[in-house]
Amino acid sequence: MTESNEPDMMSESIRELPYPIPVQALLIDGSSRNRPLLRNASKWDSLEPFQITRKRTLSEGLVAMQSALFRIVLLDLSLSTLPAIESVTEVLRVANGLPVVVLINEGGTTNASVAMRMGAQNYVMKGGKSGSLLNTLKYTMERQHLLAAIEDGKESIARESHELRNALACIHEFGNIVLDGLAGPISEELREYVGIILQNASRVQVVVENLRDCVPYGSDEYMSRQIQ
């Protein structure tokens, strides 16, 4: 069989992944026969820099997932030990945030769509070219990295907006003290200036609340809203 240069070309871009190389991947296959998953790849080494650990039953795969070793999980939806969607539920429960890619047979896109609504991040057709699987693994990992960065950003926004809301509350409190004359009499001109300050503080508070409630593009919540 003539070897294709496609995996080598893909490896160069995949090596830019923000994870240690090789990237450890768990395949929960469920197959009782020892045969290659990919039509154009006789060895799992062709998926470099992804190093595949293959488990042939769902129960073995669930145990293996509890290791901190793996960065991504491949789930064969033709598992015979449980109905396809029930196996997705079990894997997602144990995955604890690991990206899950489901493997489907031709005509299995309905199950793939359901799995992705449940939380799987991607799917790939079984028996396809190795380059297709490499692309799927690459972009799934990149998306996972992006989602992690989004979560970090959301936490940072939450912290900063909390501090800003406290500062705005302070502005409102002392501004109203001045307007009510509790700090002493003020001129009409000063009253107008303080009113402008309070009005703009209220505008900033609305912006802060909207920023806190926004859904980042590409996040799981964003994707969920698009599906609905």
Side-chain angles (χ1 to χ4, degrees):
M1 180 176 65
T2 302
E3 293 187 0
S4 169
N5 291 329
E6 183 181 12
D8 293 334
M9 294 171 62
M10 295 298 300
S11 296
E12 294 303 318
S13 59
I14 294 175
R15 287 183 186 279
E16 299 174 2
L17 286 170
Y19 293 103
I21 300 297
V23 180
Q24 299 295 331
L26 173 65
L27 168 66
I28 305 177
D29 185 5
S31 172
S32 61
R33 289 173 286 181
N34 187 15
R35 60 184 181 183
L37 174 70
L38 304 173
R39 183 176 62 225
N40 293 338
S42 58
K43 297 181 180 179
W44 288 106
D45 292 343
S46 66
L47 296 179
E48 183 186 356
F50 292 92
Q51 185 172 15
I52 307 295
T53 298
R54 192 173 188 176
K55 297 298 181 181
R56 298 189 179 279
T57 66
L58 181 62
S59 58
E60 290 177 355
L62 294 176
V63 172
M65 284 172 60
Q66 298 178 37
S67 165
L69 174 67
F70 300 107
R71 294 286 186 177
I72 189 169
V73 177
L74 301 171
L75 173 63
D76 185 349
L77 285 188
S78 67
L79 284 168
S80 59
T81 52
L82 282 175
I85 299 307
E86 187 175 344
S87 67
V88 174
T89 301
E90 287 295 300
V91 168
L92 290 173
R93 178 181 61 81
V94 179
N96 194 28
L98 284 178
V100 176
V101 175
V102 294
L103 309 177
I104 63 170
N105 293 316
E106 186 174 354
T109 52
T110 299
N111 276 346
S113 298
V114 173
M116 292 182 69
R117 285 197 295 269
M118 294 170 63
Q121 289 208 17
N122 217 327
Y123 73 92
V124 67
M125 196 78 67
K126 288 182 62 178
K129 295 181 179 180
S130 58
S132 175
L133 179 55
L134 281 169
N135 264 327
T136 301
L137 293 175
K138 171 190 172 183
Y139 292 122
T140 300
M141 293 295 290
E142 288 178 344
R143 181 174 184 270
Q144 181 73 2
H145 179 65
L146 175 61
L147 291 177
I150 289 175
E151 287 302 316
D152 288 343
K154 287 170 64 177
E155 292 179 4
S156 177
I157 289 174
R159 289 193 300 269
E160 298 301 327
S161 62
H162 176 72
E163 294 297 326
L164 189 52
R165 287 198 303 274
N166 286 342
L168 290 170
C170 185
I171 292 173
H172 277 290
E173 180 180 357
F174 284 94
N176 285 312
I177 287 176
V178 173
L179 285 181
D180 293 340
L182 299 179
I186 61 173
S187 66
E188 288 302 317
E189 184 178 19
L190 183 56
R191 181 180 297 276
E192 180 182 358
Y193 292 160
V194 174
I196 293 173
I197 292 173
L198 292 177
Q199 182 181 21
N200 282 277
S202 296
R203 291 175 60 188
V204 172
Q205 188 168 8
V206 171
V207 173
V208 172
E209 295 301 328
N210 289 339
L211 181 63
R212 185 184 63 172
D213 295 336
C214 72
V215 178
Y217 177 82
S219 67
D220 286 338
E221 186 176 353
Y222 175 89
M223 297 304 292
S224 175
R225 291 186 182 184
Q226 300 310 301
I227 293 173
Q228 293 172 358

